[in-house]
Amino acid sequence: PVNGPQNVNVVDIRARQLTLQWETFGYAVTRCHSFNLTVQYQYVFNQQEFAAEELIPTSSHYTLRGLRPFVTVRLRLVLANPEGSKESEEIVKQTEED
């Protein structure tokens, strides 16, 4: 890819989920018709660190579910094709209380 996902924003925050939105990708960005987009995230709950990665279906928004209430989540999107990968800026948000 030429660059990572651009203008990534959290557009909805709830107790157990975050909804992300970003600019759609054109061929000029991906440089390939075959690419993957994943979200990598982590948070600490009860002094235990949780880290995960989810594959995102091609779209310009995604809801990350199954989070814990009132935790700080660190996340980034990763755009990858057979030639390599590029990451978005890291986003840090806190989920709401239950």
Side-chain angles (χ1 to χ4, degrees):
V2 175
N3 54 292
Q6 300 292 303
N7 297 322
V8 180
N9 293 301
V10 175
V11 295
D12 186 38
I13 300 173
R14 306 220 177 162
R16 297 177 185 273
Q17 69 184 40
L18 297 173
T19 300
L20 306 166
Q21 185 173 307
W22 58 90
E23 274 184 31
T24 56
F25 306 116
Y27 184 82
V29 172
T30 61
R31 296 283 191 211
C32 190
H33 291 291
S34 174
F35 62 91
N36 290 326
L37 182 62
T38 55
V39 59
Q40 297 174 343
Y41 63 97
Q42 63 186 35
Y43 61 90
V44 176
F45 181 73
N46 284 343
Q47 299 178 342
Q48 185 175 6
E49 185 173 315
F50 294 84
E53 182 173 291
E54 294 182 20
L55 185 63
I56 297 175
T58 303
S59 177
S60 62
H61 64 279
Y62 184 73
T63 300
L64 193 55
R65 301 177 193 279
L67 301 173
R68 297 289 185 164
F70 209 60
V71 295
T72 300
V73 181
R74 305 174 77 87
L75 60 93
R76 70 181 64 226
L77 296 181
V78 180
L79 177 63
N81 68 19
E83 301 299 317
S85 65
K86 297 279 185 169
E87 299 177 344
S88 69
E89 296 290 322
E90 183 177 67
I91 296 175
V92 179
K93 293 288 181 181
Q94 186 163 5
T95 56
E96 294 183 346
E97 293 186 68
D98 248 348

